């Protein structure tokens, strides 16, 4: 069998049903095989789009996302998405064509050392040197991408190898990689110690993250939180892991997190970190982070433990396996829950006195926060993807995610232009669900070409553009920390988004009055096919709360106008 | 020596764990470490290891790579300063490389470490005798003699090589080449 066809068979054997990509010289044999392949291939309009679509697909479905690109510029166009998948631990496999073996190292036409270029941000990578390796490498790539701490794996295939003939046999045996053995169970002794520490804590808090989503452990998390009245906060990446309507929910923490979540971390005596990695957007000034807290850190990646913040009780393992054990051990202790009364009284006080707040508009203007609240009313169960900026933070703060895998954004790399292609991927993965991309005007234009993909491939995503005429997040920093000297942040009203949508063959809509907002949103959701809704919102609104960069959680600044705001 | 944050407490103790009793063990050992790393003998593996060090800002003092008794496995021996780098974090990051099979943080007392160096020293007639004498004291070998220079091979611990360097430097050190340390665990009785 031709190796390119064996590649298709191998992908099918891994359960692949959808791939995103663009052909070119070096992967012509692969694309020839695509014609007869048993899965859907979505022809995107830019390889970055293919990469983010694969990410969106993976994050919505939990399956491995796959993207194809040709050598040289095709491969380098994937790089941002690969780096993005690395920082957000997204299970993805990227398959690039490479120049013919004899041209490697000669600066041949469209040669780029993609293996070398991506070394710092792949979980693992392979370059085939023999066509018979291809099925083996595919099998290993999917295993590495999807197990332990998930991440991107690159497979680079020289053109001559994918044309070669090989004997193909499906690889079904478990992968044996001598240097790769994630530990998943969690040490039971450590788990017992953790349960006992939790039983003794008077001001505990669960600090949960993307690991809960990745590990499909939302239910297990709810169980553990319910085993006593444990307060729960989450990172940006963990939203939906615990329902926002849940009894113990304090809101998101970190730079744009709630007053209560951040102050709770600051006052806590015990932090239970569950699949979260103490990013600097959480810790702020490291030396003043959670000064009173002991730390239980549950993470499948041992290198995350004590990397940024020392762990008193480390537990290396998969949340899906560790949390039920911890719940069992904790319940067995039959602790007296009343020790948490005082803590909850404090927390409830904060929740009451320091809610998320914005000054309502008086004159029919659409406040960006109100746009997200309206979105929640019209599409509470939608999968929401987002770009990067203020709109992303407002979506995180105001949407109120109830379920895992319903919030898909770029947290670690913070890639503008992520939202639309990610929505494409999410919609391909979950065709029966409503998928809405909350876009920024600065971000959307970076990958707006994927509207063409939506139209031609009939992927009916709804893009709700939060149009503030600015690269708002940067404008906010320039306003607050750089003397309001605005530098290269104005987007103005170009392009005309409605016409642009129509030019692509999608439906374009616009709304600029608060009273029309919900109606137009509903219209967008009910219109068949891809829709771009241009929502004109307040231009110079700032996103609060905010912990000023380099400061501690307790230095959080609240929205002006909220009684007793500013400082703690 | 493991420096992972393990709590020193017996599991199964009936009483609860007191939060005051929990501590995070120190991260910096304050001494030199020799890491002996077994890796798959495949193209690009050294680049992955070296890239990891530069990306994470870990400074390698010396690095030696060579085959092992198993042709599919190579050994990377590297030394780094445990006063600057949390060795535990270094080894955990290394373990994430799929091609890394095994890492040993060599215990100083239980390790034989050796390095080889070649010194080309200018040797005028007047100081030739003295240099030969140094070489004898250090059990070094003179491996090349030319009209104006002598080349001496020294094998030993890094300390010994540095001591030899201090001795010959005043006589005019033309060039020095060092291999970087390699190490092996001592045999047990
Ligand atoms: C403009 C902007 C503003 C931001 N502001 C904030 C903010 O205010 N608050 C905030 O929280 N973030 C914010 N972020 C995001 C931030 O940069 C980080 O991406 C985020 O905090 C990381 O989330 P996490 O700790 O959940 O880690 P993730 O990156 O999601 O990593 C998951 C962790 O879980 C582990 N893990 C994975 N799978 C499993 C498993 N099965 N079992 C156990 N462990 C597992 C991994 O090893 C890893 O350590 C912002 C980003 C941008 C772009
Ligand atoms: C690719 C990329 N370039 C630059 C940045 C820096 N950056 C972060 S937020 C932002 C502004 C985003 O503007 P917009 O999409 O309009 O979102 P808003 O903040 O206005 O909601 C910029 C430029 C980035 N995160 N990604
Ligand atoms: Mg904007």
């Amino acid at each position: 069998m031709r190796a390119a066809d064996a590649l298709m068979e191998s992908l099918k054997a891994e359960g692949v049903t959808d791939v995103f990509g663009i052909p070119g010289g070096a992967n012509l044999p692969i694309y020839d095989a695509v014609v007869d392949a048993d899965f859907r291939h979505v022809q995107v309009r830019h390889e970055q789009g293919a990469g983010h679509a694969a990410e969106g697909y993976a994050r919505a479905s939990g399956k491995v996302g796959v993207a194809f690109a040709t050598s040289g510029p095709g491969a380098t166009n994937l790089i941002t998405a690969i780096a993005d998948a690395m920082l957000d631990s997204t299970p993805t496999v990227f398959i690039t064509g490479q120049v013919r073996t004899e041209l490697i190292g000669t600066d041949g036409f469209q040669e780029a050392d993609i293996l070398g270029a991506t070394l710092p941000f792949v979980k693992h990578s392979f370059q085939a040197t023999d066509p018979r390796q291809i099925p083996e490498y595919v099998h290993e790539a999917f295993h590495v991408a999807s197990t332990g701490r998930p991440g991107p794996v690159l497979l680079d295939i020289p053109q001559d190898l994918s044309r070669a003939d090989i004997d193909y046999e499906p690889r079904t045996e478990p992968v044996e990689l001598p240097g790769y053995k994630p530990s998943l169970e969690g040490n039971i002794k450590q788990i017992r110690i953790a349960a006992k520490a939790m039983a003794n804590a008077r001001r505990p808090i669960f600090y949960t993250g993307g690991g809960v989503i990745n590990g499909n452990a939302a239910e297990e998390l709810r169980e553990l939180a319910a085993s006593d009245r444990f307060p729960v906060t989450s990172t940006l990446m963990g939203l939906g892991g615990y329902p926002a309507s849940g009894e113990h929910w304090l809101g998101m923490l970190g730079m744009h997190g709630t007053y209560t979540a951040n102050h709770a971390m600051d006052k806590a005596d015990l932090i239970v970190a569950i699949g979260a990695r103490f990013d600097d957007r959480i810790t702020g000034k490291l030396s003043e982070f959670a000064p009173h807290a002991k730390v239980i850190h549950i993470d499948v990646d041992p290198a995350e433990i004590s990397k940024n913040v020392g762990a008193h009780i480390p537990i290396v393992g998969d949340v899906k396996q560790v949390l039920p054990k911890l719940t069992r051990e904790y319940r067995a202790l039959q602790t007296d829950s009343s020790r948490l009364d005082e803590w909850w009284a404090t927390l409830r006080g904060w929740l009451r006195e320091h809610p998320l707040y914005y000054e309502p508009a008086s004159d029919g203007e659409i406040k960006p926060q109100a746009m997200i609240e309206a979105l929640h009313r019209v599409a509470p169960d939608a999968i929401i993807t987002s770009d990067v900026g203020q709109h992303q933070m407002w979506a995180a703060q105001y949407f109120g995610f109830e379920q895992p895998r319903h919030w898909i954004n770029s947290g670690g790399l913070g890639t503008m232009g992520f939202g639309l292609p990610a929505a494409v991927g999410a919609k391909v993965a979950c065709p029966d669900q409503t998928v809405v991309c909350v876009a920024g005007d600065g971000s959307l234009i970076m990958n707006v070409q994927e509207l063409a993909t939506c139209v031609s491939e009939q992927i009916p995503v709804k893009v709700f553009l939060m149009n503030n005429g600015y690269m708002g997040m940067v404008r906010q920093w320039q306003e607050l920390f750089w003397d309001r000297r605005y530098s290269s942040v104005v987007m103005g009203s170009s392009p005309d988004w409605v016409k642009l949508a129509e030019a692509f063959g999608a439906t374009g809509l616009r709304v600029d009055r608060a009273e029309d907002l919900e109606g137009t949103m509903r219209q967008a959701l009910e219109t068949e096919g891809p829709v771009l809704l241009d929502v004109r919102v307040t231009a110079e609104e700032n996103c609060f709360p905010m912990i000023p960069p380099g400061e501690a959680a307790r230095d959080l600044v609240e929205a002006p106008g909220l009684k007793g705001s500013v400082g703690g | 020596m493991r420096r992972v944050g393990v709590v020193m407490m017996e599991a199964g103790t009936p009483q609860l764990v007191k939060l005051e009793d929990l501590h995070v063990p120190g991260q910096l050992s304050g001494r030199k470490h020799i890491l002996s790393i077994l890796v798959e003998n495949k193209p690009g593996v050294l680049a992955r290891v070296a890239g990891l060090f530069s990306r994470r800002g870990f400074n390698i003092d010396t690095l030696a790579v060579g085959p092992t008794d198993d042709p599919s496995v190579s050994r990377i021996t590297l030394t780094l300063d445990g006063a600057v780098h949390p060795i535990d974090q270094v080894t955990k990051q290394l373990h994430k490389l799929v091609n890394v099979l095994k890492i040993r943080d060599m215990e100083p007392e239980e390790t034989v470490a050796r390095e080889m160096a070649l010194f080309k020293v200018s040797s005028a007639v007047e100081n030739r005798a003295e240099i030969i004498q140094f070489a004898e004291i250090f059990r070094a070998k003179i491996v090349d003699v030319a009209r104006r220079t002598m080349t001496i091979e020294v094998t030993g611990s890094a300390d010994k090589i540095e001591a030899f360097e201090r001795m010959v430097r005043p006589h005019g050190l033309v060039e020095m080449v060092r291999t970087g340390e390699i190490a092996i665990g001592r045999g047990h009785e």
Side-chain angles (χ1 to χ4, degrees), chain A residues 243-269:
Chain A
S245 61
E247 263 189 287
H248 304 160
W249 180 240
L250 305 181
M252 180 174 85
L253 85 168
M255 182 174 268
H256 291 288
T258 63
Y259 180 99
T260 305
N262 281 308
H263 279 259
M265 292 290 278
D266 189 61
K267 296 284 179 301
D269 64 355

PDB file of all heavy atoms in Angstrom, chain A residues 243-269:
ATOM      1  N   PRO A 243     -19.948  24.144  38.111  1.00  0.00           N
ATOM      2  CA  PRO A 243     -20.975  25.034  37.531  1.00  0.00           C
ATOM      3  C   PRO A 243     -21.031  26.394  38.226  1.00  0.00           C
ATOM      4  O   PRO A 243     -20.939  26.483  39.444  1.00  0.00           O
ATOM      5  CB  PRO A 243     -22.274  24.256  37.754  1.00  0.00           C
ATOM      6  CG  PRO A 243     -21.978  23.217  38.777  1.00  0.00           C
ATOM      7  CD  PRO A 243     -20.510  22.946  38.741  1.00  0.00           C
ATOM      8  N   ALA A 244     -21.185  27.430  37.414  1.00  0.00           N
ATOM      9  CA  ALA A 244     -21.229  28.787  37.961  1.00  0.00           C
ATOM     10  C   ALA A 244     -22.458  28.982  38.853  1.00  0.00           C
ATOM     11  O   ALA A 244     -22.486  29.892  39.681  1.00  0.00           O
ATOM     12  CB  ALA A 244     -21.227  29.803  36.829  1.00  0.00           C
ATOM     13  N   SER A 245     -23.468  28.120  38.686  1.00  0.00           N
ATOM     14  CA  SER A 245     -24.640  28.233  39.563  1.00  0.00           C
ATOM     15  C   SER A 245     -24.461  27.368  40.807  1.00  0.00           C
ATOM     16  O   SER A 245     -25.321  27.336  41.675  1.00  0.00           O
ATOM     17  CB  SER A 245     -25.888  27.772  38.809  1.00  0.00           C
ATOM     18  OG  SER A 245     -25.721  26.410  38.432  1.00  0.00           O
ATOM     19  N   GLY A 246     -23.340  26.660  40.887  1.00  0.00           N
ATOM     20  CA  GLY A 246     -23.096  25.766  42.024  1.00  0.00           C
ATOM     21  C   GLY A 246     -22.999  26.530  43.334  1.00  0.00           C
ATOM     22  O   GLY A 246     -22.583  27.682  43.362  1.00  0.00           O
ATOM     23  N   GLU A 247     -23.385  25.848  44.388  1.00  0.00           N
ATOM     24  CA  GLU A 247     -23.456  26.471  45.712  1.00  0.00           C
ATOM     25  C   GLU A 247     -22.135  27.034  46.214  1.00  0.00           C
ATOM     26  O   GLU A 247     -22.105  27.974  46.985  1.00  0.00           O
ATOM     27  CB  GLU A 247     -23.821  25.359  46.707  1.00  0.00           C
ATOM     28  CG  GLU A 247     -25.240  25.241  47.072  1.00  0.00           C
ATOM     29  CD  GLU A 247     -25.320  24.249  48.210  1.00  0.00           C
ATOM     30  OE1 GLU A 247     -25.147  23.033  47.950  1.00  0.00           O
ATOM     31  OE2 GLU A 247     -25.520  24.708  49.348  1.00  0.00           O
ATOM     32  N   HIS A 248     -21.053  26.387  45.810  1.00  0.00           N
ATOM     33  CA  HIS A 248     -19.761  26.744  46.407  1.00  0.00           C
ATOM     34  C   HIS A 248     -18.921  27.629  45.510  1.00  0.00           C
ATOM     35  O   HIS A 248     -17.751  27.836  45.762  1.00  0.00           O
ATOM     36  CB  HIS A 248     -18.963  25.470  46.738  1.00  0.00           C
ATOM     37  CG  HIS A 248     -19.697  24.525  47.620  1.00  0.00           C
ATOM     38  ND1 HIS A 248     -19.368  23.198  47.725  1.00  0.00           N
ATOM     39  CD2 HIS A 248     -20.760  24.711  48.438  1.00  0.00           C
ATOM     40  CE1 HIS A 248     -20.195  22.604  48.562  1.00  0.00           C
ATOM     41  NE2 HIS A 248     -21.051  23.501  49.004  1.00  0.00           N
ATOM     42  N   TRP A 249     -19.513  28.118  44.451  1.00  0.00           N
ATOM     43  CA  TRP A 249     -18.761  28.842  43.421  1.00  0.00           C
ATOM     44  C   TRP A 249     -18.433  30.271  43.857  1.00  0.00           C
ATOM     45  O   TRP A 249     -19.311  31.017  44.279  1.00  0.00           O
ATOM     46  CB  TRP A 249     -19.575  28.852  42.125  1.00  0.00           C
ATOM     47  CG  TRP A 249     -18.950  29.563  40.967  1.00  0.00           C
ATOM     48  CD1 TRP A 249     -19.468  30.628  40.298  1.00  0.00           C
ATOM     49  CD2 TRP A 249     -17.703  29.246  40.329  1.00  0.00           C
ATOM     50  NE1 TRP A 249     -18.627  30.992  39.270  1.00  0.00           N
ATOM     51  CE2 TRP A 249     -17.532  30.164  39.267  1.00  0.00           C
ATOM     52  CE3 TRP A 249     -16.715  28.279  40.546  1.00  0.00           C
ATOM     53  CZ2 TRP A 249     -16.416  30.155  38.422  1.00  0.00           C
ATOM     54  CZ3 TRP A 249     -15.607  28.262  39.705  1.00  0.00           C
ATOM     55  CH2 TRP A 249     -15.470  29.188  38.663  1.00  0.00           C
ATOM     56  N   LEU A 250     -17.158  30.641  43.730  1.00  0.00           N
ATOM     57  CA  LEU A 250     -16.725  31.989  44.104  1.00  0.00           C
ATOM     58  C   LEU A 250     -16.411  32.857  42.888  1.00  0.00           C
ATOM     59  O   LEU A 250     -16.066  34.018  43.030  1.00  0.00           O
ATOM     60  CB  LEU A 250     -15.461  31.915  44.977  1.00  0.00           C
ATOM     61  CG  LEU A 250     -15.521  31.053  46.229  1.00  0.00           C
ATOM     62  CD1 LEU A 250     -14.191  31.129  46.971  1.00  0.00           C
ATOM     63  CD2 LEU A 250     -16.673  31.473  47.145  1.00  0.00           C
ATOM     64  N   GLY A 251     -16.501  32.270  41.706  1.00  0.00           N
ATOM     65  CA  GLY A 251     -16.104  33.008  40.506  1.00  0.00           C
ATOM     66  C   GLY A 251     -14.662  32.701  40.146  1.00  0.00           C
ATOM     67  O   GLY A 251     -13.949  32.006  40.871  1.00  0.00           O
ATOM     68  N   MET A 252     -14.255  33.221  38.981  1.00  0.00           N
ATOM     69  CA  MET A 252     -12.886  33.011  38.504  1.00  0.00           C
ATOM     70  C   MET A 252     -11.904  33.776  39.391  1.00  0.00           C
ATOM     71  O   MET A 252     -12.260  34.779  39.984  1.00  0.00           O
ATOM     72  CB  MET A 252     -12.784  33.509  37.052  1.00  0.00           C
ATOM     73  CG  MET A 252     -11.425  33.351  36.408  1.00  0.00           C
ATOM     74  SD  MET A 252     -11.440  33.797  34.639  1.00  0.00           S
ATOM     75  CE  MET A 252     -11.202  35.585  34.733  1.00  0.00           C
ATOM     76  N   LEU A 253     -10.671  33.282  39.463  1.00  0.00           N
ATOM     77  CA  LEU A 253      -9.638  34.016  40.200  1.00  0.00           C
ATOM     78  C   LEU A 253      -8.622  34.598  39.230  1.00  0.00           C
ATOM     79  O   LEU A 253      -8.716  34.396  38.022  1.00  0.00           O
ATOM     80  CB  LEU A 253      -8.960  33.111  41.233  1.00  0.00           C
ATOM     81  CG  LEU A 253      -7.787  32.219  40.783  1.00  0.00           C
ATOM     82  CD1 LEU A 253      -7.097  31.639  42.006  1.00  0.00           C
ATOM     83  CD2 LEU A 253      -8.217  31.109  39.859  1.00  0.00           C
ATOM     84  N   GLY A 254      -7.666  35.309  39.759  1.00  0.00           N
ATOM     85  CA  GLY A 254      -6.574  35.828  38.931  1.00  0.00           C
ATOM     86  C   GLY A 254      -6.752  37.282  38.567  1.00  0.00           C
ATOM     87  O   GLY A 254      -7.587  37.989  39.139  1.00  0.00           O
ATOM     88  N   MET A 255      -5.960  37.693  37.602  1.00  0.00           N
ATOM     89  CA  MET A 255      -5.858  39.114  37.245  1.00  0.00           C
ATOM     90  C   MET A 255      -7.215  39.780  37.039  1.00  0.00           C
ATOM     91  O   MET A 255      -7.421  40.910  37.471  1.00  0.00           O
ATOM     92  CB  MET A 255      -5.015  39.266  35.976  1.00  0.00           C
ATOM     93  CG  MET A 255      -4.825  40.703  35.563  1.00  0.00           C
ATOM     94  SD  MET A 255      -3.691  40.860  34.179  1.00  0.00           S
ATOM     95  CE  MET A 255      -2.144  41.079  35.029  1.00  0.00           C
ATOM     96  N   HIS A 256      -8.142  39.086  36.362  1.00  0.00           N
ATOM     97  CA  HIS A 256      -9.481  39.642  36.181  1.00  0.00           C
ATOM     98  C   HIS A 256     -10.533  38.815  36.905  1.00  0.00           C
ATOM     99  O   HIS A 256     -11.687  38.749  36.505  1.00  0.00           O
ATOM    100  CB  HIS A 256      -9.804  39.777  34.691  1.00  0.00           C
ATOM    101  CG  HIS A 256      -8.982  40.824  34.015  1.00  0.00           C
ATOM    102  ND1 HIS A 256      -9.175  42.169  34.231  1.00  0.00           N
ATOM    103  CD2 HIS A 256      -7.935  40.735  33.155  1.00  0.00           C
ATOM    104  CE1 HIS A 256      -8.288  42.864  33.529  1.00  0.00           C
ATOM    105  NE2 HIS A 256      -7.525  42.014  32.866  1.00  0.00           N
ATOM    106  N   GLY A 257     -10.098  38.182  37.959  1.00  0.00           N
ATOM    107  CA  GLY A 257     -11.010  37.351  38.737  1.00  0.00           C
ATOM    108  C   GLY A 257     -11.817  38.170  39.733  1.00  0.00           C
ATOM    109  O   GLY A 257     -11.637  39.391  39.865  1.00  0.00           O
ATOM    110  N   THR A 258     -12.706  37.490  40.453  1.00  0.00           N
ATOM    111  CA  THR A 258     -13.587  38.202  41.369  1.00  0.00           C
ATOM    112  C   THR A 258     -12.848  38.596  42.652  1.00  0.00           C
ATOM    113  O   THR A 258     -11.812  38.008  43.003  1.00  0.00           O
ATOM    114  CB  THR A 258     -14.789  37.327  41.779  1.00  0.00           C
ATOM    115  OG1 THR A 258     -14.301  36.187  42.495  1.00  0.00           O
ATOM    116  CG2 THR A 258     -15.591  36.869  40.562  1.00  0.00           C
ATOM    117  N   TYR A 259     -13.417  39.567  43.316  1.00  0.00           N
ATOM    118  CA  TYR A 259     -12.891  39.993  44.614  1.00  0.00           C
ATOM    119  C   TYR A 259     -12.849  38.801  45.560  1.00  0.00           C
ATOM    120  O   TYR A 259     -11.849  38.536  46.223  1.00  0.00           O
ATOM    121  CB  TYR A 259     -13.798  41.097  45.176  1.00  0.00           C
ATOM    122  CG  TYR A 259     -13.370  41.626  46.521  1.00  0.00           C
ATOM    123  CD1 TYR A 259     -12.652  42.819  46.613  1.00  0.00           C
ATOM    124  CD2 TYR A 259     -13.701  40.955  47.698  1.00  0.00           C
ATOM    125  CE1 TYR A 259     -12.251  43.321  47.842  1.00  0.00           C
ATOM    126  CE2 TYR A 259     -13.302  41.443  48.927  1.00  0.00           C
ATOM    127  CZ  TYR A 259     -12.581  42.628  49.000  1.00  0.00           C
ATOM    128  OH  TYR A 259     -12.182  43.113  50.220  1.00  0.00           O
ATOM    129  N   THR A 260     -13.961  38.071  45.592  1.00  0.00           N
ATOM    130  CA  THR A 260     -14.072  36.988  46.572  1.00  0.00           C
ATOM    131  C   THR A 260     -13.045  35.889  46.307  1.00  0.00           C
ATOM    132  O   THR A 260     -12.369  35.430  47.227  1.00  0.00           O
ATOM    133  CB  THR A 260     -15.497  36.400  46.549  1.00  0.00           C
ATOM    134  OG1 THR A 260     -16.416  37.470  46.747  1.00  0.00           O
ATOM    135  CG2 THR A 260     -15.678  35.360  47.632  1.00  0.00           C
ATOM    136  N   ALA A 261     -12.920  35.471  45.049  1.00  0.00           N
ATOM    137  CA  ALA A 261     -11.980  34.386  44.750  1.00  0.00           C
ATOM    138  C   ALA A 261     -10.557  34.803  45.095  1.00  0.00           C
ATOM    139  O   ALA A 261      -9.813  34.040  45.728  1.00  0.00           O
ATOM    140  CB  ALA A 261     -12.071  34.014  43.269  1.00  0.00           C
ATOM    141  N   ASN A 262     -10.184  36.011  44.738  1.00  0.00           N
ATOM    142  CA  ASN A 262      -8.805  36.448  44.990  1.00  0.00           C
ATOM    143  C   ASN A 262      -8.540  36.672  46.476  1.00  0.00           C
ATOM    144  O   ASN A 262      -7.486  36.285  46.980  1.00  0.00           O
ATOM    145  CB  ASN A 262      -8.502  37.723  44.186  1.00  0.00           C
ATOM    146  CG  ASN A 262      -8.209  37.397  42.718  1.00  0.00           C
ATOM    147  OD1 ASN A 262      -7.362  36.557  42.418  1.00  0.00           O
ATOM    148  ND2 ASN A 262      -8.927  38.044  41.820  1.00  0.00           N
ATOM    149  N   HIS A 263      -9.497  37.262  47.171  1.00  0.00           N
ATOM    150  CA  HIS A 263      -9.288  37.461  48.603  1.00  0.00           C
ATOM    151  C   HIS A 263      -9.341  36.135  49.362  1.00  0.00           C
ATOM    152  O   HIS A 263      -8.655  35.963  50.368  1.00  0.00           O
ATOM    153  CB  HIS A 263     -10.287  38.478  49.157  1.00  0.00           C
ATOM    154  CG  HIS A 263      -9.849  39.890  48.896  1.00  0.00           C
ATOM    155  ND1 HIS A 263      -9.262  40.681  49.839  1.00  0.00           N
ATOM    156  CD2 HIS A 263      -9.858  40.609  47.745  1.00  0.00           C
ATOM    157  CE1 HIS A 263      -8.946  41.853  49.304  1.00  0.00           C
ATOM    158  NE2 HIS A 263      -9.304  41.826  48.026  1.00  0.00           N
ATOM    159  N   ALA A 264     -10.121  35.226  48.863  1.00  0.00           N
ATOM    160  CA  ALA A 264     -10.173  33.908  49.507  1.00  0.00           C
ATOM    161  C   ALA A 264      -8.815  33.218  49.390  1.00  0.00           C
ATOM    162  O   ALA A 264      -8.341  32.587  50.340  1.00  0.00           O
ATOM    163  CB  ALA A 264     -11.272  33.052  48.886  1.00  0.00           C
ATOM    164  N   MET A 265      -8.170  33.339  48.250  1.00  0.00           N
ATOM    165  CA  MET A 265      -6.827  32.767  48.099  1.00  0.00           C
ATOM    166  C   MET A 265      -5.861  33.451  49.068  1.00  0.00           C
ATOM    167  O   MET A 265      -5.002  32.826  49.685  1.00  0.00           O
ATOM    168  CB  MET A 265      -6.322  32.949  46.662  1.00  0.00           C
ATOM    169  CG  MET A 265      -7.064  32.148  45.616  1.00  0.00           C
ATOM    170  SD  MET A 265      -6.777  30.371  45.701  1.00  0.00           S
ATOM    171  CE  MET A 265      -5.217  30.228  44.821  1.00  0.00           C
ATOM    172  N   ASP A 266      -6.031  34.752  49.173  1.00  0.00           N
ATOM    173  CA  ASP A 266      -5.124  35.524  50.024  1.00  0.00           C
ATOM    174  C   ASP A 266      -5.258  35.145  51.505  1.00  0.00           C
ATOM    175  O   ASP A 266      -4.284  35.179  52.255  1.00  0.00           O
ATOM    176  CB  ASP A 266      -5.443  37.014  49.828  1.00  0.00           C
ATOM    177  CG  ASP A 266      -4.421  37.914  50.493  1.00  0.00           C
ATOM    178  OD1 ASP A 266      -3.240  37.828  50.094  1.00  0.00           O
ATOM    179  OD2 ASP A 266      -4.795  38.672  51.409  1.00  0.00           O
ATOM    180  N   LYS A 267      -6.480  34.784  51.913  1.00  0.00           N
ATOM    181  CA  LYS A 267      -6.708  34.494  53.332  1.00  0.00           C
ATOM    182  C   LYS A 267      -6.719  33.001  53.643  1.00  0.00           C
ATOM    183  O   LYS A 267      -6.752  32.599  54.808  1.00  0.00           O
ATOM    184  CB  LYS A 267      -8.071  35.068  53.774  1.00  0.00           C
ATOM    185  CG  LYS A 267      -8.171  36.578  53.702  1.00  0.00           C
ATOM    186  CD  LYS A 267      -7.422  37.241  54.843  1.00  0.00           C
ATOM    187  CE  LYS A 267      -7.501  38.759  54.761  1.00  0.00           C
ATOM    188  NZ  LYS A 267      -6.951  39.319  53.503  1.00  0.00           N
ATOM    189  N   ALA A 268      -6.720  32.178  52.621  1.00  0.00           N
ATOM    190  CA  ALA A 268      -6.900  30.735  52.821  1.00  0.00           C
ATOM    191  C   ALA A 268      -5.796  30.147  53.688  1.00  0.00           C
ATOM    192  O   ALA A 268      -4.659  30.621  53.671  1.00  0.00           O
ATOM    193  CB  ALA A 268      -6.908  30.036  51.462  1.00  0.00           C
ATOM    194  N   ASP A 269      -6.142  29.104  54.459  1.00  0.00           N
ATOM    195  CA  ASP A 269      -5.091  28.360  55.159  1.00  0.00           C
ATOM    196  C   ASP A 269      -4.722  27.095  54.401  1.00  0.00           C
ATOM    197  O   ASP A 269      -3.699  26.481  54.671  1.00  0.00           O
ATOM    198  CB  ASP A 269      -5.463  28.064  56.615  1.00  0.00           C
ATOM    199  CG  ASP A 269      -6.672  27.151  56.767  1.00  0.00           C
ATOM    200  OD1 ASP A 269      -7.296  26.804  55.735  1.00  0.00           O
ATOM    201  OD2 ASP A 269      -7.003  26.797  57.912  1.00  0.00           O
TER     202      ASP A 269
END
